[in-house]
Amino acid sequence: MIDFSKYPAEPFRIKSVEPVAMIDREERLRVVKEAGYNTFLINSKDVYIDLLTDSGTNAMSDRQWGGIMVGDEAYAGSRNFHRLQDTVRRLFGFKYIVPTHQGRGAENILSQIAIKPGQYVPGNMYFTTTRYHQERNGGIFVDIIRDEAHDATLDIPFKGNIDLNKLQRLIDEKGAENIAYVCLAVTVNLAGGQPVSMANMRAVRELTNKYGIKVFYDATRCVENAYFIKEQEEGFADKTITEIVLEMFSYADGCTMSGKKDCLVNIGGFLCMNDEHLFQDAKEMVVVYEGMPSYGGMAGRDMEAMAIGLEESMQYEYIRHRVLQVRYLGDLLKEAGVPIIEPVGGHAVFLDARRFCPHLTQEQFPAQSLAANLYVESGVRSMERGIVSAGRDNKTGENHTPKLETVRLTIPRRVYTYKHMDVVADGVIRLFKHKETIRGLRFVYEPKQLRFFTARFEEI
């Protein structure tokens, strides 16, 4: 049985509410068919509990809403930019910050200034938009995550770690000069929100220093990663989250950041670095794609809210509740025998679609169909993270076939209660009991880029 005493109450009071309503099953069936069985194309008004993503879906605090009211919307030199810059320098330790409209804006700029065509970009498992920008700018992504990360059933800590032997082999085979940089994600989204240990970050830094190779973090969920280090890695139990985050970034040359996650805001991001020449290149590119270097696609009020949110995210009570609420949902599903990625990560519970739908082949898009059927069953919106998200090989045109075929139940920050998690679990468990009714899908519309966002399907 689940020990409910393990899960802390919400460390906040609710001041504002947004009504939600459940449409009936027949209506949900009509909605999902009209959306082409793609949960991204369902209107939010038709969703009861929205676990599509934790990106930009956070609830902001009273302090953040107060910050919105002191936005300096000057076109250049906004005081809110300086507030954000000072906050990031203090908490992350990097010298330079370039604001962007969101994380993929930072990925785009970094890929253009740091990758030469034909260079390799090793990383601890791909992420969709990250790999797209790397490949679009001539890079070749190489997965160097530890093998255990591809096994959904293996419950071990720090499954997001880089395999140092894989990295060394790539350096030996391709040459250090042919490696643009190491892309280290903290945490690793598509592996199930798995964290990276401090020891692994330190070891990656030591190895890359030998060859003059830069290391850039995908820092989107760095605070969640810090919590796992505090909870599970020897020597960090008495460290604050702020101290752990600062040490994490001391082993990097820079980072991309989607402020829509651990910065607790609804829009925005930034790119950080220590190299002055790269910074100058980034400032030139941000003017082309985003805006002035002192706002980069964000309003002054957004930068103020982001600075406040970044500080709030470092509070132990907040991040402990955030991670354990996700774990609570995972424990409910495991207790009922529902197959998920283990251990439960920091931002989502990932249903293992291979074991959930063993009657479907990967080419029949089991995760895509599972997400659509979960919406019909329960009004809960989730998202596919499998063969559809992985896309096609640029050279062969064949589907990438990741070992993990999952549906992500992503928990927004400070939005839902434990009772909402109970409702989600009930819906998943009901569907699992008649899982053989889930039918495979095929494309009726397949975009050429990042197809999972707007593709349409029909049942086979």
Side-chain angles (χ1 to χ4, degrees):
M1 296 294 292
I2 294 174
D3 179 5
F4 293 98
S5 66
K6 295 189 302 183
Y7 306 103
E10 287 78 5
F12 49 82
R13 289 192 293 263
I14 298 170
K15 285 188 174 182
S16 179
V17 297
E18 176 186 355
V20 294
M22 173 84 87
I23 59 176
D24 65 36
R25 184 185 183 90
E26 288 303 312
E27 184 70 3
R28 296 197 299 272
L29 186 58
R30 181 192 64 79
V31 165
V32 81
K33 287 181 178 179
E34 289 184 356
Y37 295 89
N38 187 343
T39 53
F40 278 94
L41 303 181
I42 296 174
N43 292 326
S44 65
K45 68 179 178 62
D46 296 323
V47 174
Y48 181 49
I49 298 177
D50 200 344
L51 306 186
L52 182 75
T53 182
D54 62 331
S55 179
T57 57
N58 309 297
M60 293 203 302
S61 70
D62 52 357
R63 291 181 62 238
Q64 287 178 288
W65 282 110
I68 290 283
M69 300 307 296
V70 294
D72 174 9
E73 307 307 341
Y75 189 79
S78 165
R79 63 175 175 269
N80 306 120
F81 165 71
H82 293 288
R83 163 76 185 277
L84 177 61
Q85 177 179 252
D86 293 344
T87 302
V88 173
R89 283 175 172 171
R90 172 168 47 84
L91 297 177
F92 286 12
F94 295 117
K95 294 180 182 178
Y96 306 112
I97 172 175
V98 179
T100 58
H101 76 284
Q102 61 183 75
R104 72 191 61 170
E107 293 169 352
N108 176 39
I109 293 172
L110 177 62
S111 297
Q112 292 202 45
I113 65 177
I115 298 173
K116 297 176 183 176
Q119 283 188 318
Y120 295 86
V121 188
N124 53 342
M125 199 172 285
Y126 83 98
F127 184 67
T128 51
T129 59
T130 312
R131 187 176 69 184
Y132 173 80
H133 287 298
Q134 291 167 352
E135 293 179 345
R136 184 173 180 270
N137 286 282
I140 303 168
F141 173 78
V142 180
D143 189 0
I144 57 169
I145 201 169
R146 62 191 298 187
D147 290 339
E148 294 87 344
H150 298 283
D151 184 346
T153 66
L154 196 58
D155 188 349
I156 60 173
F158 301 113
K159 284 172 75 173
N161 282 358
I162 279 178
D163 185 323
L164 296 172
N165 292 326
K166 290 181 181 179
L167 177 55
Q168 183 66 66
R169 282 198 300 270
L170 184 68
I171 295 170
D172 293 341
E173 292 173 5
K174 306 300 181 182
E177 71 280 4
N178 292 316
I179 296 177
Y181 57 89
V182 174
C183 181
L184 199 163
V186 286
T187 58
V188 185
N189 189 345
L190 296 187
Q194 304 299 332
V196 179
S197 70
M198 192 74 80
N200 189 247
M201 294 181 222
R202 191 181 303 118
V204 170
R205 176 77 285 174
E206 291 171 356
L207 178 57
T208 54
N209 274 345
K210 294 180 183 178
Y211 299 95
I213 299 171
K214 285 184 165 51
V215 179
F216 281 87
Y217 289 3
D218 177 344
T220 295
R221 299 178 179 89
C222 60
V223 182
E224 293 172 12
N225 199 102
Y227 176 82
F228 285 109
I229 290 174
K230 181 177 177 66
E231 181 188 58
Q232 300 177 16
E233 190 165 0
E234 185 177 355
F236 290 93
D238 295 329
K239 297 281 189 180
T240 66
I241 297 297
T242 302
E243 290 170 334
I244 294 170
V245 168
L246 190 60
E247 182 176 345
M248 285 168 55
F249 287 120
S250 72
Y251 304 123
D253 295 287
C255 72
T256 58
M257 184 69 172
S258 171
K260 299 166 69 176
K261 285 85 168 177
D262 271 353
C263 292
L264 300 174
V265 289
N266 307 122
I267 197 66
F270 53 82
L271 171 63
C272 291
M273 63 203 66
N274 288 324
D275 185 295
E276 185 176 1
H277 296 294
L278 275 180
F279 175 56
Q280 294 300 331
D281 291 342
K283 285 202 300 182
E284 292 180 14
M285 296 306 298
V286 78
V287 172
V288 175
Y289 289 100
E290 304 281 331
M292 283 289 288
S294 59
Y295 73 88
M298 281 191 285
R301 55 184 175 269
D302 297 325
M303 291 187 284
E304 186 72 18
M306 182 181 288
I308 296 169
L310 195 52
E311 292 172 336
E312 291 180 352
S313 73
M314 303 281 177
Q315 296 168 0
Y316 176 72
E317 294 77 14
Y318 152 75
I319 190 59
R320 177 171 178 261
H321 170 268
R322 193 279 188 285
V323 173
L324 294 187
Q325 185 185 49
V326 176
R327 192 174 296 170
Y328 172 76
L329 175 58
D331 285 349
L332 289 176
L333 296 177
K334 285 195 295 182
E335 182 85 4
V338 176
I340 64 173
I341 289 185
E342 298 185 52
V344 175
H347 70 292
V349 176
F350 287 69
L351 304 178
D352 185 353
R354 288 183 185 273
R355 289 184 289 155
F356 203 112
C357 303
H359 58 291
L360 300 179
T361 68
Q362 192 172 28
E363 294 290 340
Q364 292 174 316
F365 309 141
Q368 188 74 40
S369 188
L370 174 52
N373 277 270
L374 178 59
Y375 170 74
V376 174
E377 180 71 34
S378 63
V380 174
R381 176 159 63 169
S382 57
M383 70 181 303
E384 182 269 358
R385 277 299 184 228
I387 189 173
V388 176
S389 291
R392 295 185 182 273
D393 185 281
N394 283 340
K395 293 182 179 179
T396 67
E398 296 296 318
N399 284 316
H400 289 295
T401 53
K403 293 181 180 179
L404 295 177
E405 182 75 19
T406 67
V407 168
R408 194 179 76 180
L409 305 170
T410 332
I411 315 302
R413 295 161 183 81
R414 304 191 295 201
V415 171
Y416 292 117
T417 66
Y418 287 109
K419 184 59 180 177
H420 287 108
M421 299 302 100
D422 292 339
V423 172
V424 173
D426 286 345
V428 174
I429 293 165
R430 286 199 311 272
L431 181 59
F432 186 60
K433 289 178 179 178
H434 61 90
K435 57 185 180 294
E436 66 281 350
T437 63
I438 298 173
R439 298 166 61 183
L441 300 174
R442 58 178 164 237
F443 280 114
V444 295
Y445 166 63
E446 181 183 359
K448 293 181 179 179
Q449 286 89 29
L450 298 172
R451 63 188 186 181
F452 63 93
F453 282 124
T454 56
R456 288 181 173 271
F457 307 84
E458 64 182 7
E459 288 189 326
I460 297 173

